[in-house]
């Protein structure tokens, strides 16, 4: 099975946070899927493998936020998503239990120690999930490093979370949920978030107030897909090789559904199904279009010191000609 993820060609990385006007139809021809095999007969009868330079790869760990109060209300009555009672929804007690269980998993597997960066959508439920899963141990007053989350943040009843021993945390607007109409998907001001999440970096967010969310316009699925493609493209401008992304059901579904169309059906289904609350999926992305330009940190040039190094098979082929 050949497992390749490629990206849409783009003359500039995704650096702004506005809704793209590019339609799904216009980006699709330039977007290759995960390649699992070159034909259906290969899928059925043989195994195909691929090999790529390590510096052209990134490992991404996608996480959907844990259960929020809007999930519970919306499951009972979909119209609840239109209620301002669930503005910038926070996690439920069940959601925090889901966070604690995923935290145990990433610590047991050693994943958290491999991470170079945690990217989070700047909504309350995603930031709560991100710091709860990937943050350091309990915070103690007097420690010089700021906490990732203060104690009892937004009346959560949770202890403070330390930033010591944790990867860097970066809030990114472009991995938010569908924008518009649903108050649960509208964020607070960054001014309000900063004192609650002191160690999260909000520097890439251009506007203090939420200028992207509109009360009477819901972002279309194809716009979310285009935004997701630009987000993946932007990741290749980052130096980090192993990144966790804490986001939302709709964003993750429409972003990952762009990949896997030529895989075996079981792999495509695994890639493209909706995420459960606090589900984690890991993928390897391969840059075959030279979007990323990082040099290898592990390759070694050899011949130090210099010496004769003619391959034995080359010598044998020359002797056959005599």
């Amino acid at each position: 099975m050949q497992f390749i993820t490629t990206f849409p060609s783009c003359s500039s990385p995704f650096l702004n946070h506005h809704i793209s006007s590019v339609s799904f139809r216009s980006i699709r021809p330039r977007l290759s899927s995960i390649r699992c095999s070159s034909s259906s007969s290969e899928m059925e009868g043989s195994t195909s493998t691929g090999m790529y330079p390590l510096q052209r790869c990134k490992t991404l760990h996608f996480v959907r936020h844990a259960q929020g109060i809007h999930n519970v209300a919306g499951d009972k009555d979909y119209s609840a998503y239109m209620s301002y009672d669930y503005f910038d929804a926070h996690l439920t007690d069940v959601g925090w239990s889901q966070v604690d269980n995923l935290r145990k998993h990433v610590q047991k597997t050693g994943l958290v120690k491999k991470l170079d960066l945690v990217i989070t959508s700047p909504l309350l439920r995603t930031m709560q999930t991100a710091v709860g899963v990937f943050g350091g141990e309990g915070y103690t007053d007097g420690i010089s490093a700021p906490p990732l989350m203060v104690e009892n943040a937004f009346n959560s009843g949770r202890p403070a979370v330390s930033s010591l021993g944790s990867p860097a945390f970066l809030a990114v607007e472009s991995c938010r949920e569908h924008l518009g109409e649903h108050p649960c998907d509208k964020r607070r001001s960054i001014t309000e978030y900063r004192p609650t999440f002191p160690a999260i970096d909000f520097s890439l967010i251009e506007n203090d107030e939420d200028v992207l969310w509109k009360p009477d316009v819901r972002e279309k699925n194809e716009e979310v897909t285009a935004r997701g493609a630009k987000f993946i493209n932007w990741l290749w401008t980052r130096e980090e090789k192993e990144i966790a992304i804490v986001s939302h059901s709709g964003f993750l579904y429409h972003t990952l559904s762009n990949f896997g169309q030529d895989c075996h059906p079981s792999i495509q289904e695994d890639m493209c199904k909706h995420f459960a609350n606090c589900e984690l999926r890991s993928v390897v992305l391969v840059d075959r279009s030279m979007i990323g330009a990082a040099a290898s940190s592990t390759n070694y040039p050899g011949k130090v010191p210099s010496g004769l190094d003619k391959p034995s098979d080359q010598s044998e082929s020359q002797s056959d000609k005599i």
Side-chain angles (χ1 to χ4, degrees), residues 60-64 232 245 252 256 275 279-281 283:
L60 303 183
H61 305 280
F62 291 105
V63 177
R64 182 191 174 193
I232 296 295
I245 297 103
L252 293 172
L256 294 182
F275 278 64
E279 180 181 353
L280 180 153
R281 291 183 209 164
V283 300

Side-chain angles (χ1 to χ4, degrees), residues 4-209:
I4 307 168
T5 306
T6 55
F7 312 92
S9 58
C10 183
S11 59
S12 62
F14 182 59
L15 298 177
N16 64 68
H17 306 118
H18 299 288
I19 301 173
S20 172
S21 61
V22 180
S23 69
F24 172 64
R25 185 173 299 174
S26 67
I27 68 166
R28 186 60 177 275
R30 295 179 290 150
L31 184 62
S32 299
S33 302
I34 291 175
R35 294 289 305 281
C36 302
S37 67
S38 59
S39 69
S40 59
S41 62
E42 278 187 12
M43 292 181 188
E44 296 169 0
S46 63
T47 300
S48 175
T49 59
M51 190 176 295
Y52 299 91
L54 183 61
Q55 70 268 25
R56 296 292 173 192
C57 302
K58 286 184 186 289
T59 302
L60 303 183
H61 305 280
F62 291 105
V63 177
R64 182 191 174 193
H65 64 79
Q67 185 192 75
I69 56 171
H70 66 304
N71 295 134
V72 176
D75 189 60
K76 296 176 181 177
D77 179 6
Y78 186 80
S79 65
Y81 287 118
M82 301 297 292
S83 172
Y84 276 85
D85 290 342
Y86 307 107
F87 162 67
D88 194 17
H90 60 78
L91 298 186
T92 64
D93 290 341
V94 170
W96 279 114
S97 295
Q98 293 170 343
V99 166
D100 292 339
N101 286 329
L102 181 54
R103 178 182 180 83
K104 293 174 185 176
H105 172 76
V106 300
Q107 290 181 333
K108 181 180 179 180
T109 59
L111 188 156
V112 69
K113 295 185 180 299
K114 299 176 182 178
L115 293 177
D116 301 313
L117 178 68
V118 176
I119 291 175
T120 177
S121 160
L123 271 76
L124 181 55
R125 59 189 181 271
T126 42
M127 292 190 290
Q128 288 178 323
T129 301
V131 301
V133 172
F134 300 112
E137 299 300 330
Y139 181 80
T140 303
D141 288 339
I143 295 177
S144 58
L148 282 163
M149 185 178 74
V150 299
E151 183 179 4
N152 195 32
F154 291 101
N155 300 312
S156 65
R158 299 286 293 192
V161 178
S162 174
S163 60
L164 289 176
S166 69
F169 280 68
L170 180 66
V172 177
E173 198 97 87
S174 54
C175 63
R176 287 175 58 174
E177 183 58 291
H178 276 85
L179 298 167
E181 288 192 345
H182 296 176
C184 59
D185 299 327
K186 178 176 171 60
R187 67 165 172 82
R188 290 170 166 82
S189 69
I190 302 304
T191 299
E192 192 171 357
Y193 284 144
R194 285 187 193 277
T196 307
F197 300 99
I200 293 182
D201 182 356
F202 293 97
S203 62
L204 292 186
I205 297 181
E206 297 174 353
N207 301 100
D208 186 48
E209 298 293 336

Side-chain angles (χ1 to χ4, degrees), residues 1-6 31-37 43 256 258-264 267-268 271-272 283-285 288:
M1 177 178 62
Q2 192 177 16
F3 194 76
I4 307 168
T5 306
T6 55
L31 184 62
S32 299
S33 302
I34 291 175
R35 294 289 305 281
C36 302
S37 67
M43 292 181 188
L256 294 182
N258 249 330
F259 304 102
Q261 279 78 12
D262 59 352
C263 285
H264 188 280
I267 298 174
Q268 183 179 0
M271 276 284 297
C272 302
V283 300
V284 176
L285 304 181
R288 298 192 300 170

Side-chain angles (χ1 to χ4, degrees), residues 230-250:
K230 288 186 175 182
F231 173 77
I232 296 295
N233 221 25
W234 170 78
L235 289 176
W236 280 106
T237 70
R238 306 287 311 182
E239 294 182 354
E240 298 88 358
K241 292 297 186 182
E242 191 138 355
I243 304 173
I245 297 103
V246 183
S247 187
H248 306 263
S249 175

